[in-house]
Amino acid sequence: MPNDEGRDDETGHTPEYRIDSDEIQQIVDLENKVDELEAQVAEANGRAVRALADFQNYQRRSIQNEIAAKQDGVSSVVRGVVNVLDHFELALQLDPAKTTTEQFVGGVRVIREELLKVLAQQGVSMINPVEGEVFQPGRHEAIMQMPKDGVESGHVAQTLQPGYVLSIAGSDRVLRPAKVAVAP
């Protein structure tokens, strides 16, 4: 048992501890292993930091690409619509006293066709079911039931408002279903 002064034996001397060569080798091996593990941890931390930086750069580039793609898409649509607006401006400049109803309606039809052409260039097409066509939920919205001679039950009796679908890369997305009356 140690005495008050930190000495362990009865003579008052601290005993000497001897470490043999096997123990020294084990300590050296452990120190080498610690050094090796510390190097591996440092390397793993470096890889993690680089991976995080790469991911943050990827996120930033993705956001920039998304913004650019949206701008390109909007610009493409707007360029086509601007031409349609030009036709409206020309129509509004006509003198009503010198323009017949037929001329006015004909001008509106031309503008409508130009607008449909612009939409078609963007992948938008009209959903305009004909009388007797099978009702298709998702593409058609049933507003009312209406009996009609020659139209079977569950088929379109009348189209009240056309719908529109966007087709891109072989995938269709209904923008607005056609509003229809369905035969009961």
Side-chain angles (χ1 to χ4, degrees):
M1 178 159 191
N3 63 18
D4 294 339
E5 297 170 10
R7 288 176 257 175
D8 291 340
D9 67 2
E10 295 171 1
T11 62
H13 292 87
T14 304
E16 291 184 28
Y17 291 104
R18 297 185 188 261
I19 300 175
D20 64 19
S21 63
D22 288 340
E23 290 175 323
I24 292 173
Q25 187 58 45
Q26 287 177 345
I27 292 171
V28 169
D29 290 346
L30 288 174
E31 286 175 347
N32 288 340
K33 187 65 173 174
V34 167
D35 290 344
E36 181 183 322
L37 291 173
E38 284 176 345
Q40 288 176 358
V41 167
E43 182 182 335
N45 284 339
R47 283 194 313 264
V49 168
R50 285 189 300 279
L52 179 60
D54 287 346
F55 180 70
Q56 289 171 337
N57 288 335
Y58 166 78
Q59 282 182 314
R60 184 180 42 76
R61 282 190 311 273
S62 293
I63 290 169
Q64 289 172 343
N65 290 342
E66 184 178 338
I67 290 169
K70 284 180 182 178
Q71 289 173 337
D72 290 346
V74 169
S75 295
S76 177
V77 172
V78 169
R79 276 192 296 274
V81 172
V82 167
N83 291 331
V84 174
L85 287 173
D86 290 342
H87 290 292
F88 273 119
E89 286 299 320
L90 289 173
L92 291 172
Q93 291 174 5
L94 293 176
D95 183 358
K98 297 179 184 177
T99 306
T100 67
T101 304
E102 291 83 20
Q103 290 173 323
F104 181 76
V105 171
V108 170
R109 281 193 182 112
V110 167
I111 293 170
R112 178 181 179 272
E113 291 304 315
E114 174 124 4
L115 185 55
L116 288 173
K117 180 178 155 188
V118 168
L119 291 174
Q121 290 170 346
Q122 299 303 318
V124 177
S125 58
M126 191 180 291
I127 303 171
N128 200 3
V130 295
E131 183 179 301
E133 187 175 317
V134 175
F135 176 76
Q136 298 176 37
R139 288 181 63 85
H140 305 151
E141 180 180 346
I143 300 300
M144 59 189 248
Q145 289 187 345
M146 182 176 91
K148 183 116 183 198
D149 290 338
V151 177
E152 295 179 40
S153 175
H155 289 68
V156 175
Q158 181 181 359
T159 298
L160 306 171
Q161 184 180 51
Y164 295 90
V165 64
L166 175 64
S167 300
I168 296 179
S171 176
D172 289 349
R173 178 186 227 173
V174 175
L175 301 173
R176 183 180 79 190
K179 295 182 181 186
V180 298
V182 178

